[in-house]
Amino acid sequence: MAEEDNEFLSLSDLGSELDSIPIPMFFDRNRHICYLEMMLELLPSPYQSQEINRLTLAYFVVCGLDILRSLDRVDKEGVINWVLSLQAHPQDEADLSNGQFYGFHGSRSSQFQPNDYGNALPNCSHLASTYCALSILKTLGYDFSLLDSMSIIKSMKNLQQHDGSFMPIHSGAETDLRFVYCAAAISFMLENWSGIDKEKAKEYIINCQSYDGGFGLTPSSESHGGATFCAVASLRLMGLIEDDILSKNASSCFINVPLLLDWCLQRQAATDGGFQGRLNKATDTCYAFWVGGVLKILGAHKFIDHEGLRKFLFTCQSQYGGFGKTPEQLPDLYHAYYGFCAFSLLEEPDLNSICTELGTTMGPVQLL
């Protein structure tokens, strides 16, 4: 019993009032698998508001099971057919120049059919949904030569703005680094860069670097962990920066790498070992990947407090499987998935390694 007791940490060690709840000090892989299997079959009612993002939720489950080395739990053919059914298709070649995007819908809710007069309504396929769809298909081993990839690539050009940013849909949406990243990841997975002006995208990314070294979602906005990942991962996917740039001549890079490194390292809190997404914000499970991933790409993951981070993540690990945002919260698919990614970066045994830039288990990024 003494050895078992050493595997648990009381929340009192982190100053929590919930010190009576034992927290497992090991990665509870089997419980995480059960959690994802449950989510694969039936989502709890609080996810009803996320119906429009059903494809994204599926991405967290399928790719999460892959990280956990349990992809055999997935009905691969069934999931592939479902994902493929969500792609928007042009009626003819001319449609690819009509301003719309022919990627993937997030769910059936946005997949409108022609109205009673036979007029097709504008499609609502989305860059983020397309990134998730391609990630799922790639993870399940689908042959991309069978995919209508040219419709995706050609119509994606319609979404890039004059400043180099991207809109996620064809009209009425915001533009920021998240969608630059989606466009870069889509192009990388499809091995076709004709749908993105990389030079314009590069300039937009440069303009998003803030005075403190991090990146904001848009130029002149506050530095943010997620935006910083999108910026650095996009540059890496586009082949514009080298892997492990710190071992090279970082001072000659067109982004300020030393200041970026300093900003990222300052996001790890000395109090609990977790990462925060912004200055003066609470630590959060997902930033162990968003900020930790940036450090991994830069070749600086060795500089973080690995044990401190593991300790923090264990406090966010739920007794039901998955991870919550903080030690006090129930698990959700978003934080569960990025908790798995964070542990993969920490080289947890019995987990598949991930390609940091893509956020999935696909192989290492090769410079273009």
Side-chain angles (χ1 to χ4, degrees):
M1 287 296 294
E3 291 183 358
E4 292 181 1
D5 290 341
N6 288 335
E7 292 181 324
F8 290 86
L9 169 72
S10 171
L11 281 172
S12 61
D13 292 343
L14 296 181
S16 172
E17 297 178 357
L18 303 176
D19 56 6
S20 62
I21 302 176
I23 299 174
M25 287 297 290
F26 57 88
F27 185 84
D28 201 343
R29 177 174 170 271
N30 290 333
R31 197 172 298 241
H32 295 316
I33 293 171
C34 290
Y35 171 76
L36 290 183
E37 280 192 292
M38 177 183 69
M39 294 296 183
L40 185 63
E41 296 299 326
L42 183 65
L43 289 172
S45 58
Y47 284 95
Q48 287 179 344
S49 63
Q50 293 297 314
E51 159 59 24
I52 197 72
N53 297 317
R54 185 177 290 267
L55 189 54
T56 300
L57 300 177
Y59 160 79
F60 292 143
V61 174
V62 174
C63 296
L65 285 169
D66 190 28
I67 294 173
L68 296 172
R69 298 183 179 178
S70 297
L71 202 56
D72 60 314
R73 314 295 179 99
V74 176
D75 174 6
K76 295 182 181 180
E77 183 178 357
V79 172
I80 286 173
N81 289 335
W82 173 71
V83 172
L84 291 175
S85 73
L86 293 172
Q87 185 175 3
H89 295 282
Q91 293 183 348
D92 51 46
E93 183 73 17
D95 278 357
L96 296 176
S97 302
N98 66 9
Q100 295 191 39
F101 175 53
Y102 293 95
F104 287 81
H105 296 275
S107 73
R108 291 279 181 263
S109 300
S110 65
Q111 200 171 28
F112 301 114
Q113 299 300 317
N115 60 25
D116 293 338
Y117 301 100
N119 299 318
L121 298 174
N123 84 75
C124 295
S125 60
H126 196 284
L127 270 181
S129 299
T130 302
Y131 159 78
C132 291
L134 295 179
S135 296
I136 292 172
L137 293 174
K138 196 79 169 177
T139 296
L140 296 178
Y142 183 71
D143 183 357
F144 276 11
S145 69
L146 304 175
L147 184 70
D148 180 14
S149 60
M150 289 310 300
S151 291
I152 298 173
I153 292 297
K154 287 183 177 181
S155 64
M156 193 170 73
K157 295 177 69 173
N158 300 327
L159 304 180
Q160 189 165 21
Q161 307 300 296
H162 294 300
D163 62 359
S165 64
F166 275 81
M167 291 177 65
I169 57 177
H170 67 279
S171 65
E174 58 198 339
T175 63
D176 59 54
L177 280 177
R178 293 172 298 174
F179 310 121
V180 174
Y181 170 75
C182 288
I186 290 167
S187 299
F188 183 87
M189 285 189 278
L190 294 179
E191 300 181 9
N192 188 332
W193 290 91
S194 62
I196 178 172
D197 185 329
K198 290 200 288 185
E199 194 58 35
K200 280 188 175 181
K202 170 187 170 183
E203 288 303 314
Y204 183 78
I205 293 170
I206 291 173
N207 290 333
C208 288
Q209 187 166 29
S210 182
Y211 68 92
D212 58 7
F215 289 79
L217 281 171
T218 58
S220 302
S221 60
E222 180 186 11
S223 295
H224 185 276
T228 300
F229 174 86
C230 289
V232 176
S234 295
L235 293 173
R236 176 74 186 127
L237 289 169
M238 290 189 288
L240 299 176
I241 60 173
E242 296 181 275
D243 186 32
D244 192 11
I245 196 171
L246 291 183
S247 66
K248 318 289 193 311
N249 187 11
S251 61
S252 64
C253 187
F254 52 82
I255 59 172
N256 191 326
V257 176
L259 203 59
L260 169 62
L261 174 62
D262 184 60
W263 184 86
C264 289
L265 291 174
Q266 288 189 43
R267 300 285 68 77
Q268 186 169 25
T271 53
D272 61 15
F275 276 91
Q276 59 181 188
R278 291 180 286 163
L279 184 66
N280 295 323
K281 294 293 183 179
T283 49
D284 178 332
T285 294
C286 68
Y287 294 110
F289 172 73
W290 295 128
V291 181
V294 173
L295 292 169
K296 184 74 171 181
I297 295 170
L298 296 177
H301 205 252
K302 58 189 175 185
F303 296 131
I304 72 173
D305 178 1
H306 287 72
E307 287 308 308
L309 180 56
R310 287 174 63 87
K311 185 177 179 180
F312 170 75
L313 290 172
F314 283 139
T315 67
C316 297
Q317 183 173 233
S318 172
Q319 60 181 317
Y320 307 110
F323 290 83
K325 177 178 181 177
T326 65
E328 295 81 16
Q329 295 193 4
L330 289 170
D332 63 83
L333 280 174
Y334 173 83
H335 289 94
Y337 184 74
Y338 290 111
F340 304 151
C341 289
F343 269 105
S344 179
L345 292 182
L346 290 169
E347 300 181 351
E348 177 71 20
D350 298 322
L351 294 185
N352 283 326
S353 299
I354 63 169
C355 168
T356 309
E357 294 85 351
L358 290 174
T360 64
T361 61
M362 284 172 261
V365 172
Q366 299 296 325
L367 281 174
L368 302 175

